[in-house]
Amino acid sequence: MRFWKAEMDEEAKLTGEIRALKEEREAIILAHNYQVGPVQDIADLVGDSLELSRAAASMGGKVIVFCGVDFMAETAAILSPEKKVLLPAADACCPMAEMVTAGEVRAIRERNPDAAVVAYVNTTAEVKAESDICCTSANAVEVVNSLEEDRVIFLPDRNLALYVARFSGKEILPWEGYCIVHDRFTPADVRAARARHPGAKVIVHPECRPGVIDLADGVASTSGIIRSACTGEGKEFIIGTEVGILHRLRKECPSKRCYPLSEKAICVNMKKTDLSKVYRALDRMEPRVTVPDEIARRARKAIDRMLAVR
Ligand code: 13P
Ligand code: SF4
């Protein structure tokens, strides 16, 4: 009990220090929906990749502290070249973003000259720079349907590609990447969760396998899942994404009961950021994320084109 109280005091102290330093530095703190609770609580905005990209492009301040993973901070740096972008946990990466390289994009494009290349934002800046347009889980279907081309190379997430293919008359050529967290959910997990919570609605992220998506009542981005649970009919929901999302769900719709599809759905990279790293980043103004100008210029075209769609 005493130990627990000391931890709470430490958290309150750090929170106060971060707030003061944030003012001094004219910084904003952006946090993804998977971040740990105390980091979400100190952020100016908590959201999905699309909301955070828009915020990076439009919010004021001189510094962005990005509590998420590397591709998100890179996107912020591309959209806000005049701001310093800090990634408090320098080693927070997204393994899926490493599953395709710029050279591989050039090669697949050469083999399919008539196809458009759509890059999920979970890619490196170099891959974005080789792509025609980006998308997130919140706008992937609209982005693909906005294209003139009938053939679309969709990378790197094959599950999201197959999900988009359900809503598009186009020929989708999926890359073989996947999320190491979402790809682990199985149809058996959904059936077992429904047996534990009969009557609960199942909402999953589109990075899940097609067999899981087939059994779900809804499919949405992380913020879309929060909106569906908070405003949708029903009192109980089984949530098929990373467990960090439950923090916002508990805060924003306490009257609904939300259960994780699996307690084991943890993105270790999203959990590398804590309050002490946020403080240290603001104090030392590092680790800083930058993107070389020439890559940033080309990657920005693909991101801006996405933001113009939705
Ligand atoms: P969202 O854009 O839906 O927040 O998803 C990001 C992500 O990394 C999911 O694993
Ligand atoms: Fe990448 Fe999956 Fe983690 Fe999202 S949950 S950041 S896709 S590894």
Side-chain angles (χ1 to χ4, degrees):
M1 176 72 176
R2 212 187 290 153
F3 176 70
W4 184 67
K5 172 137 188 345
E7 223 173 60
M8 298 276 288
D9 289 348
E10 180 59 23
E11 193 176 303
K13 186 168 161 269
L14 256 178
T15 300
E17 285 169 352
I18 290 170
R19 291 224 161 94
L21 204 47
K22 188 167 93 80
E23 290 281 296
E24 199 182 301
R25 300 276 194 229
E26 295 182 56
I28 57 164
I29 301 180
L30 303 180
H32 187 263
N33 288 321
Y34 296 158
Q35 289 290 295
V36 295
V39 170
Q40 291 194 27
D41 293 343
I42 197 147
D44 295 288
L45 181 81
V46 186
D48 65 12
S49 308
L50 183 61
E51 291 165 337
L52 296 173
S53 300
R54 287 196 183 284
S58 65
M59 282 173 82
K62 293 186 174 157
V63 176
I64 297 175
V65 182
F66 213 113
C67 302
V69 291
D70 52 5
F71 76 82
M72 297 178 173
E74 270 189 356
T75 304
I78 292 165
L79 288 169
S80 271
E82 72 292 352
K83 292 184 192 133
K84 288 197 168 90
V85 177
L86 306 174
L87 181 67
D91 58 342
C93 63
C94 170
M96 175 158 58
E98 308 300 323
M99 291 180 189
V100 61
T101 65
E104 286 171 326
V105 181
R106 283 192 292 272
I108 192 172
R109 214 193 241 295
E110 241 175 74
R111 291 196 299 277
N112 298 278
D114 59 329
V117 175
V118 177
Y120 191 26
V121 277
N122 299 41
T123 43
T124 61
E126 288 81 2
V127 163
K128 290 183 178 76
E130 295 295 335
S131 304
D132 295 306
I133 188 166
C134 288
C135 75
T136 76
S137 63
N139 61 16
V141 172
E142 288 94 329
V143 163
V144 167
N145 286 338
S146 75
L147 299 169
E148 272 175 22
E149 291 86 344
D150 293 325
R151 300 181 79 228
V152 173
I153 298 160
F154 191 103
L155 45 90
D157 187 9
R158 66 158 184 249
N159 290 336
L160 183 59
L162 295 173
Y163 176 71
V164 168
R166 296 177 188 226
F167 303 98
S168 148
K170 297 177 192 287
E171 184 190 351
I172 307 284
L173 311 174
W175 194 255
E176 283 302 311
Y178 59 93
C179 163
I180 55 171
V181 178
H182 291 85
D183 197 61
R184 279 207 201 122
F185 292 127
T186 63
D189 291 334
V190 179
R191 283 190 278 268
R194 280 202 195 274
R196 282 195 301 279
H197 307 291
K201 293 217 166 91
V202 177
I203 318 175
V204 303
H205 195 275
E207 288 174 12
C208 292
R209 288 178 176 222
V212 169
I213 287 180
D214 287 342
L215 296 180
D217 299 301
V219 181
S221 76
T222 53
S223 289
I225 290 175
I226 294 168
R227 276 191 296 277
S228 300
C230 291
T231 63
E233 274 177 30
K235 285 248 162 277
E236 291 186 88
F237 295 88
I238 294 160
I239 306 294
T241 192
E242 210 270 352
V243 295
I245 198 171
L246 294 165
H247 182 72
R248 259 189 84 186
L249 285 164
R250 285 188 200 109
K251 256 173 93 168
E252 291 176 28
C253 42
S255 65
K256 306 274 176 115
R257 266 171 289 162
C258 296
Y259 316 104
L261 178 53
S262 165
E263 300 271 2
K264 292 189 200 136
I266 296 170
C267 175
V268 288
N269 284 289
M270 283 284 183
K271 301 296 183 254
K272 286 180 176 166
T273 308
D274 60 17
L275 287 182
S276 61
K277 286 186 189 158
V278 174
Y279 177 80
R280 204 180 318 141
L282 274 166
D283 186 37
R284 301 181 185 173
M285 293 298 280
E286 59 175 31
R288 188 164 167 202
V289 172
T290 54
V291 178
D293 286 347
E294 200 270 326
I295 303 235
R297 188 184 51 75
R298 290 192 290 130
R300 185 168 181 148
K301 267 198 198 159
I303 302 169
D304 280 344
R305 196 170 163 198
M306 164 188 85
L307 293 174
V309 173
R310 192 188 143 207

